[in-house]
Amino acid sequence: MWIEQNNKLVKEYEFEDFKEAFAFMTKVAEVAEQMNHHPWWSNVYNKVTFELSTHDAGDKVTEKDEALADAIEEIFEAM
C-alpha cells in the first residue's frame, strides 16, 4: 500500500534477489519514460523504494504521481 508522507507517495517493494529487483526497475523505467514522469527511487540488493512527487507542482503529490504509483503496482503484480 502506498503511503502519503511528507508530500510524497512512498512504498518499498521486496524481491527474491537483486536480479529480480533490477528487472522490476527496468520495467518501471520504461513506463516512467512513456509517462514523462520519473520517480525518485533507491535500490539495495532485493529492495526498491519509491518516493513520488511532482516537481513542477511544488514537490507535492499530484494525479501524475497517483497514475505512476498505479502503473508501478501493476508491474509488481505481474511479476
Side-chain angles (χ1 to χ4, degrees):
M1 178 176 192
W2 287 86
I3 298 169
E4 189 165 344
Q5 183 178 55
N6 298 323
N7 292 319
K8 298 173 186 159
L9 291 179
V10 178
K11 186 164 183 179
E12 181 177 89
Y13 293 90
E14 188 169 340
F15 299 90
E16 289 292 318
D17 54 26
F18 176 76
K19 186 176 177 181
E20 189 176 75
F22 195 86
F24 170 72
M25 292 176 72
T26 300
K27 291 177 183 183
V28 171
E30 291 174 11
V31 171
E33 190 67 19
Q34 290 171 356
M35 296 174 78
N36 194 29
H37 192 56
H38 306 95
W40 177 96
W41 59 10
S42 173
N43 168 239
V44 177
Y45 181 56
N46 68 332
K47 294 180 181 171
V48 179
T49 305
F50 291 91
E51 292 182 4
L52 307 180
S53 65
T54 302
H55 306 295
D56 296 345
D59 291 320
K60 62 182 182 179
V61 175
T62 67
E63 290 178 6
K64 286 183 175 184
D65 303 300
E66 292 169 359
L68 182 55
D70 289 344
I72 292 168
E73 198 66 27
E74 287 177 22
I75 292 166
F76 179 75
E77 290 174 3
M79 291 190 73

